[in-house]
């Protein structure tokens, strides 16, 4: 098997086989082919120039959609999506302390938004428009996958188009358009990895294409650790699809290489700073002295009872918060799992490549879902499955139709597909993690009556998250996200308490009204008290807080027992 050409040139190949004489069509023939644009889009020959034009069109559509939805104001943005890249670039390793696990996630995915907001701190229109680009990339990657499906099975172009729309209009796909969650951007890499695997299976290549695919999966995990799902799930699917050593080692090596090239620098920094490459996660295993020996897993969204363990995805057809921080409704995963089970059936009349592709994609969805259910149970971490579920559903319908006698069977299957895809799109309710008008300035556009340079600034960790203040205030010498867990016997807590005790100028920022012992009594927990009479208002554009106050801190004259306030 010859080594493939450049990735873009290979992925841009037409989805129907062409003869050598067709590869360079005269201009009038190419113009005529666009008289049926849907057929050309999903089954006709497209040059790299066509793909670039389509991508530009999708970017314009995604940017417009992002602006219509409004500027992002999600909880994580205020908690760590702005803070992390700033802390990386400013080297805040030993200046800032907090019991905040998200502070230690790879900040690379957040750098684009931080750069955009730094360029336009008082104008969110260009920021919001440009943050729609990952959505366009995902739509383009799904277009490539549906073109591949059209090459594998005999499905009508119009049905490929409907299924593509069903993939691109999922709840999280729409809900995250223009946001800083970065699941869309990393999912784009996962989808390219799936496309490479499919190309390898179709062409009988167990080395180069699968290696490229698993490299993409490893790179996705390096960017965002939760995407380990899309290393483990595809790896197990590949093991049961191509259980040969010569087919296994290229993917294993490539995924490791992708992980290390993209995320290795961050793992190394965490190891050097905190004695754990995955700090603070799995600290019961790594035993870093900077954190408590706990696993740091959020159990809030775990299934409750046998029925949810068995039928969890079917609960999501109606809007609820079983697996999400905010309400949403989407049935794609449930139908995708049913299609995955059907994909494992030995359908008659299929070529060996078609069987392998159905088996691989079915097992990928099944294994990934089971791992997700056990380890995370947060719906947005399954974004690639939401996108791939309609693809597999159509692939199964096309496999069932192949080789069946008479025109009525395929027509009935295509009609069923249209009904299912329409049902999915009509019942979808995207989640809303928080939006604000694009006319508002960004979170870092803050006016402070107090010069906090060379001073300590403390906030209460939790709701509302205020860690973005570290960027907007005059650069403080220390920024402390206070939580009673900082009283744990570890180096993070010791250093935080040292800064709180010894820094001469200390301030606490809190939503109004200010309380002397601080929110939840946490200032008193550390032997401090807010000078409420000296609090002054901050001017900020945080949609989650009506008024912020900055208050001087002093030593508490009569601290209450820690058992009462350190909860």
């Amino acid at each position: 098997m010859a080594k493939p050409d450049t990735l873009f040139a290979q992925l841009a190949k037409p989805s129907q086989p062409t003869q050598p004489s067709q590869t360079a069509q005269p201009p009038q023939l190419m113009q005529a082919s666009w008289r049926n644009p849907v057929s050309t889009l999903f089954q006709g020959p497209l040059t790299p120039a066509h793909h670039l034009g389509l991508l530009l069109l999708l970017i314009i559509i995604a940017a417009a959609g992002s602006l219509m939805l409004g500027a992002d104001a999600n909880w994580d943005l205020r908690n760590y999506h702005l803070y992390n890249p700033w802390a990386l670039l400013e080297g805040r390793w030993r200046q800032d302390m907090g019991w905040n696990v998200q502070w230690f996630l790879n900040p690379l995915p957040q750098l684009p938004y931080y750069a955009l907001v730094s360029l336009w701190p008082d104008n969110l229109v260009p920021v919001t428009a440009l943050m729609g680009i990952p959505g366009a990339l995902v739509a383009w990657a799904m277009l490539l996958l549906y073109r591949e499906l059209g090459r594998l099975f005999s499905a009508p172009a119009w049905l490929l188009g409907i299924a593509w729309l069903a993939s691109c209009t999922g709840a999280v796909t729409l809900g995250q358009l223009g946001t800083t969650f970065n699941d869309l951007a990393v999912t784009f890499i996962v989808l390219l990895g799936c496309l490479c695997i499919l190309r390898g299976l179709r062409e009988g290549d167990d080395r180069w294409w699968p290696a490229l695919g698993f490299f993409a999966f490893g790179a996705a995990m390096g960017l965002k650790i939760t995407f380990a799902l899309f290393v483990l799930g595809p790896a197990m699917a590949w093991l049961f699809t191509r259980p040969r050593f010569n087919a296994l080692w290229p993917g294993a090596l490539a995924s490791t290489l992708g992980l290390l090239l993209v995320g290795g620098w961050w793992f190394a920094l965490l190891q050097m700073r905190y004695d754990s490459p995955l700090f603070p996660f799995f600290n019961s295993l790594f035993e870093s002295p900077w954190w408590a020996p706990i696993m740091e897993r959020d159990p809030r969204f775990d299934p409750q009872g046998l029925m949810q363990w068995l039928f969890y995805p079917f609960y999501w057809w109606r809007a609820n918060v079983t697996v999400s921080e905010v309400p949403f409704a989407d049935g794609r995963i449930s139908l995708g799992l049913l299609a995955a089970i059907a994909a494992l059936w030995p359908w008659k009349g299929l070529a060996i490549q078609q069987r392998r592709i159905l088996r691989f994609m079915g097992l990928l969805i099944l294994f990934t879902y089971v791992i997700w259910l056990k380890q995370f149970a947060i719906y947005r971490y399954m974004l690639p499955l939401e996108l791939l579920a309609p693809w597999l559903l159509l692939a199964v319908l096309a496999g069932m139709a192949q080789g069946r006698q008479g025109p009525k069977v395929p027509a009935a299957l295509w009609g069923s597909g249209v009904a299912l895809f329409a049902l999915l799109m009509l019942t979808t309710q995207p989640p809303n993690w928080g939006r604000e008008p694009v006319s508002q300035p960004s979170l870092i556009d803050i006016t402070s009556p107090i010069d906090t340079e060379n001073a300590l600034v403390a906030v209460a960790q939790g709701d509302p998250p205020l860690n973005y203040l570290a960027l907007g205030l005059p650069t403080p010498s220390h920024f402390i996200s206070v939580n009673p867990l900082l009283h744990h016997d570890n180096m993070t807590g010791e250093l935080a308490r040292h800064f709180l005790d010894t820094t001469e100028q200390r301030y606490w920022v809190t939503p109004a009204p200010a309380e002397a012992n601080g929110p939840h009594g946490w200032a008193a927990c550390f032997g401090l008290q807010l000078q409420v009479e000296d609090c002054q208002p901050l001017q900020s554009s945080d949609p989650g807080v009506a008024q912020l106050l900055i208050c001087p801190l002093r030593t508490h004259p009569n601290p209450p027992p820690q058992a009462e306030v350190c909860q």
Side-chain angles (χ1 to χ4, degrees):
M1 180 61 61
K3 184 175 180 179
D5 299 329
T6 62
L7 181 59
F8 179 84
Q10 289 289 318
L11 297 183
K13 283 183 177 179
S15 60
Q16 289 290 340
T18 57
Q19 300 298 323
S21 61
Q22 294 176 304
T23 56
Q25 300 185 48
Q28 62 271 24
L29 183 58
M30 289 298 296
Q31 185 177 1
S33 67
W34 283 100
R35 291 176 181 173
N36 189 350
V38 175
S39 178
T40 301
L41 191 62
F42 290 97
Q43 295 177 330
L46 295 180
T47 66
H50 290 138
H51 279 280
L52 288 174
L54 287 170
L55 186 55
L56 179 60
L57 177 61
L58 289 171
I59 288 174
I60 294 172
I61 295 172
S66 182
L67 289 170
M68 289 176 60
L69 290 171
D72 188 21
N74 75 78
W75 197 93
D76 286 348
L77 170 61
R78 292 177 283 156
N79 182 32
Y80 73 98
H81 286 174
L82 278 169
Y83 174 83
N84 284 17
W86 173 80
L88 172 70
L89 297 176
E90 297 293 329
R92 307 283 298 190
W93 292 95
R94 296 292 168 84
Q95 294 173 254
D96 300 344
M97 291 291 142
W99 199 266
N100 192 333
V101 296
Q102 291 90 353
W103 275 10
F104 306 100
L105 298 174
N106 190 338
L108 275 185
Q110 279 83 46
L111 281 173
Y113 182 81
Y114 173 73
L116 292 174
V117 167
S118 298
L119 286 173
W120 294 288
D122 57 351
N123 184 5
L124 288 176
V125 172
V127 175
T128 304
L130 291 172
M131 286 301 291
I133 290 177
L137 292 174
V138 163
W140 178 69
M142 287 308 305
L143 174 65
L144 297 181
L145 281 165
Y146 277 102
R147 286 174 62 82
E148 186 69 17
L149 192 155
R151 187 167 188 169
L152 291 165
F153 297 97
S154 296
W158 57 267
L159 188 55
L160 290 169
I162 293 174
W164 175 71
L165 286 176
S167 285
C168 296
T169 54
V172 173
T173 305
L174 294 179
Q176 289 201 6
L177 183 63
T179 69
T180 62
F181 284 111
N182 303 299
D183 293 317
L184 281 170
V186 184
T187 292
F188 169 66
I189 300 173
V190 171
L191 295 178
L192 290 185
C194 291
L195 181 62
C196 291
I197 299 291
L198 296 183
R199 280 286 173 92
L201 288 171
R202 178 172 57 80
E203 296 179 2
D205 175 17
D206 286 340
R207 288 193 177 183
W208 293 111
W209 280 118
L212 282 173
F214 277 98
F215 178 87
F217 297 149
M221 179 182 171
L223 284 173
K224 197 162 186 176
I225 195 68
T226 54
F227 276 76
L229 283 170
F230 297 95
V231 175
L232 298 176
M236 295 177 70
W238 186 252
L239 174 64
F240 284 92
T241 303
R242 304 294 290 147
R244 299 168 49 248
F245 177 77
N246 287 339
L248 296 176
W249 73 262
L253 182 62
S255 60
T256 303
L257 183 61
L259 172 66
L260 293 178
L261 283 179
V262 176
W265 68 277
W266 182 248
F267 303 142
L269 277 177
L270 292 178
Q271 176 63 40
M272 288 188 296
R273 297 286 187 176
Y274 303 111
D275 301 324
S276 170
L278 298 178
F279 182 83
F281 300 99
F282 306 108
N283 205 45
S284 59
L285 174 65
F286 291 104
E287 298 182 345
S288 167
W290 288 88
W291 210 257
I294 52 181
M295 293 297 287
E296 289 293 358
R297 182 183 176 275
D298 188 349
R300 287 178 298 162
F301 305 109
D302 288 350
Q304 304 297 316
L306 179 62
M307 293 299 292
Q308 286 196 356
W309 277 103
L310 294 177
F311 303 108
Y312 218 14
F314 294 92
Y315 285 78
W316 311 333
W317 280 87
R318 297 180 62 182
N320 59 64
V321 292
T322 54
V323 288
S324 176
E325 304 91 343
V326 294
F328 83 101
D330 198 294
R332 286 164 180 77
I333 300 296
S334 61
L335 294 187
L337 289 171
L338 294 177
I341 295 171
L344 304 182
W345 187 261
W347 299 104
K348 295 180 180 179
L350 298 184
I352 185 65
Q353 292 91 342
Q354 293 172 318
R355 291 179 182 274
R356 288 174 178 172
I357 285 171
L358 285 177
R359 183 186 308 133
F360 173 77
M361 293 300 289
L363 289 173
L364 183 153
I365 287 180
L366 288 172
F367 282 130
T368 303
Y369 171 76
V370 170
I371 298 169
W372 168 90
L373 187 64
K374 179 63 177 174
Q375 185 60 36
F376 297 111
I378 299 175
Y379 181 82
R380 58 188 173 90
Y381 294 168
M382 279 199 302
L383 176 57
L385 296 192
E386 179 185 273
L387 288 149
L388 292 171
W391 187 98
L392 183 59
L393 178 59
L394 180 55
V396 168
L397 292 175
M400 294 170 63
Q402 185 167 312
R404 298 299 187 272
Q405 297 298 322
K408 292 185 178 180
V409 173
L413 290 171
W414 301 151
S416 300
V418 171
L420 290 173
F421 295 138
L423 179 64
L424 287 175
M425 289 187 280
L426 290 173
T427 57
T428 297
Q429 178 180 320
N432 183 357
W433 285 282
R435 302 275 184 169
E436 63 177 335
V438 294
S439 58
Q440 295 290 322
S442 71
L443 288 171
I444 65 174
D445 187 20
I446 297 171
T447 301
S448 173
I450 296 175
D451 184 4
T452 57
E453 191 169 359
N454 300 320
L456 178 148
V457 174
V459 298
Q461 180 187 331
D463 201 2
L466 300 174
N467 293 329
Y468 65 88
L469 292 169
L471 292 70
L473 292 171
T475 308
S477 59
H478 302 290
F479 187 83
I480 310 296
S481 182
V482 174
N483 184 306
L485 292 174
L486 286 174
H487 261 296
H488 281 206
D489 187 17
N490 56 70
M491 295 178 67
T492 298
E494 290 178 7
L495 202 52
R497 293 193 297 273
H498 171 74
F499 292 150
L500 288 167
D501 290 340
T502 61
T503 306
E504 182 176 351
Q505 288 183 293
R506 299 170 294 185
Y507 298 94
W508 192 294
V509 179
T510 179
E515 303 173 10
N517 286 339
H520 319 292
W522 288 352
C525 175
F526 292 87
L528 300 172
Q529 187 179 66
L530 277 65
Q531 296 179 222
V532 177
E533 65 278 6
D534 295 326
C535 293
Q536 299 186 55
L538 283 177
Q539 292 183 9
S540 73
S541 57
D542 188 340
V545 182
Q547 179 65 68
L548 286 173
L549 300 175
I550 182 168
C551 309
L553 279 171
R554 64 187 174 196
T555 302
H556 202 298
N558 186 24
Q562 288 192 349
E564 296 181 5
V565 291
C566 297
Q567 300 294 328

